[in-house]
Amino acid sequence: MTVEPATASRKNADQPAIVEYRDVRKLYGSFVALDGVSARVNKGEVLCLIGPSGSGKSTLLRSTNALEKIEGGTILIDGQPLPTSATEIRKVRQRMGMVFQSFELFPHKTVLQNVTIGPMSVQKLSNKAADERARAMLQKVGLLHKADQYPANLSGGQQQRVAIARALAMEPKIMLFDEPTSALDPETIGEVLNVMKQLADEGMTMVVVTHEMNFARRVANWVIVFDHGKIVEQGHPKQIFEDARQERTRDFLSHLGWNG
């Protein structure tokens, strides 16, 4: 079991968790990807998951909406165990926006069509209502002027911002980001992180797997450090980045050249 430190000053710690992980285990054959992970995601907070590649961060994120099936423990969504039936899982996923490393846009559809397809096909919105919502989300990410373009005509950063708009168009309760900037050129990373910071400032609940330590330091309310499928440390960004208690955390940050 992962022992979580005192959370009296953690954002909304006195309220029910949006997501709670209890002793979660995940195996790939004999490889232990998640080894007894326990944590929670509070409403309105930005939780950043950091640690070496292959340490379990993305596996935990993908397990949250059942893209990965866990072998042990429990994942609770709004206090209810993550369902196992395909129908119920689809309902849970409608409340979660997911943004991947790759943009996963439909190349044969325009930007606007990529954003409207979910609300129309899943939520059964009318063409007019879906169009209005999609345009509002594209405006939010600064890409309304690209509504009639196709993904191939956009930069990587612009495509990822469209992917964020598409997720937001489903009006999720929580946004899950799996290394959203890892496939981007350095000059386009900032535009995506700026959109994410804007969402954080607006109170969106977010779980972010990232190697962008400056983003985690500036934007996160809570940081969890993974290593070999386990949580080795968690706390407020100031504590993690300026006064890490665990040597493994300090080693990880030093290898990234983090100097506070």
Side-chain angles (χ1 to χ4, degrees), residues 207-246:
V207 182
V208 185
V209 173
T210 185
H211 285 292
E212 298 291 336
M213 295 299 105
N214 282 310
F215 175 85
R217 175 66 179 87
R218 291 187 303 110
V219 181
N221 306 113
W222 198 252
V223 176
I224 293 179
V225 186
F226 276 79
D227 189 40
H228 291 96
K230 295 182 178 181
I231 294 175
V232 296
E233 186 166 3
Q234 59 180 305
H236 288 278
K238 182 177 179 64
Q239 180 252 305
I240 295 295
F241 288 98
E242 298 180 17
D243 189 27
R245 299 185 176 99
Q246 301 299 320

Side-chain angles (χ1 to χ4, degrees), residues 102-168:
S102 54
F103 319 124
E104 307 289 346
L105 300 177
F106 293 110
H108 61 289
K109 293 184 180 295
T110 66
V111 164
L112 185 64
Q113 289 170 337
N114 267 279
V115 181
T116 58
I117 190 169
M120 289 173 60
S121 63
V122 177
Q123 298 179 334
K124 307 303 180 185
L125 261 63
S126 67
N127 289 359
K128 182 175 184 297
D131 184 276
E132 290 175 354
R133 186 186 293 179
R135 290 181 184 276
M137 294 305 102
L138 288 171
Q139 179 71 44
K140 180 184 288 289
V141 302
L143 288 174
L144 182 56
H145 63 293
K146 298 288 188 179
D148 296 326
Q149 295 289 316
Y150 287 87
N153 297 324
L154 305 181
S155 70
Q158 290 171 333
Q159 290 186 60
Q160 192 62 295
R161 285 152 63 195
V162 173
I164 294 173
R166 178 184 57 190
L168 291 173

Side-chain angles (χ1 to χ4, degrees), residues 2-259:
T2 303
V3 178
E4 185 167 336
T7 58
S9 59
R10 185 175 175 182
K11 186 171 184 179
N12 293 331
D14 58 338
Q15 299 181 18
I18 297 288
V19 180
E20 186 175 358
Y21 308 96
R22 296 181 180 174
D23 202 23
V24 173
R25 287 180 55 82
K26 170 65 182 177
L27 304 175
Y28 295 107
S30 61
F31 176 73
V32 181
L34 295 173
D35 189 4
V37 171
S38 295
R40 59 182 283 148
V41 184
N42 296 329
K43 181 179 179 181
E45 77 174 352
V46 179
L47 172 64
C48 281
L49 310 181
I50 68 173
S53 297
S55 60
K57 310 179 302 295
S58 292
T59 301
L60 185 68
L61 196 75
R62 292 171 61 84
S63 299
T64 308
N65 62 1
L67 289 175
E68 297 285 355
K69 182 179 178 181
I70 61 175
E71 274 69 50
T74 306
I75 298 176
L76 303 174
I77 310 296
D78 288 330
Q80 299 298 314
L82 190 64
T84 55
S85 76
T87 300
E88 293 303 312
I89 287 173
R90 282 194 292 271
K91 291 179 181 178
V92 169
R93 287 175 179 164
Q94 289 182 37
R95 291 143 54 194
M96 299 181 182
M98 183 88 181
V99 178
F100 300 90
Q101 297 178 31
S102 54
F103 319 124
E104 307 289 346
L105 300 177
F106 293 110
H108 61 289
K109 293 184 180 295
T110 66
V111 164
L112 185 64
Q113 289 170 337
N114 267 279
V115 181
T116 58
I117 190 169
M120 289 173 60
S121 63
V122 177
Q123 298 179 334
K124 307 303 180 185
L125 261 63
S126 67
N127 289 359
K128 182 175 184 297
D131 184 276
E132 290 175 354
R133 186 186 293 179
R135 290 181 184 276
M137 294 305 102
L138 288 171
Q139 179 71 44
K140 180 184 288 289
V141 302
L143 288 174
L144 182 56
H145 63 293
K146 298 288 188 179
D148 296 326
Q149 295 289 316
Y150 287 87
N153 297 324
L154 305 181
S155 70
Q158 290 171 333
Q159 290 186 60
Q160 192 62 295
R161 285 152 63 195
V162 173
I164 294 173
R166 178 184 57 190
L168 291 173
M170 297 296 289
E171 298 187 334
K173 291 185 64 174
I174 183 172
M175 288 284 289
L176 310 176
F177 293 88
D178 187 9
E179 294 281 11
T181 61
S182 64
L184 302 180
D185 295 329
E187 61 268 24
T188 63
I189 289 174
E191 63 190 55
V192 173
L193 295 180
N194 286 339
V195 169
M196 294 170 63
K197 184 179 186 305
Q198 177 188 341
L199 294 177
D201 291 342
E202 294 172 355
M204 173 62 74
T205 306
M206 298 162 57
V207 182
V208 185
V209 173
T210 185
H211 285 292
E212 298 291 336
M213 295 299 105
N214 282 310
F215 175 85
R217 175 66 179 87
R218 291 187 303 110
V219 181
N221 306 113
W222 198 252
V223 176
I224 293 179
V225 186
F226 276 79
D227 189 40
H228 291 96
K230 295 182 178 181
I231 294 175
V232 296
E233 186 166 3
Q234 59 180 305
H236 288 278
K238 182 177 179 64
Q239 180 252 305
I240 295 295
F241 288 98
E242 298 180 17
D243 189 27
R245 299 185 176 99
Q246 301 299 320
E247 182 178 357
R248 185 65 190 93
T249 302
R250 295 192 294 269
D251 286 346
F252 168 70
L253 293 173
S254 68
H255 281 119
L256 292 179
W258 177 259
N259 56 16

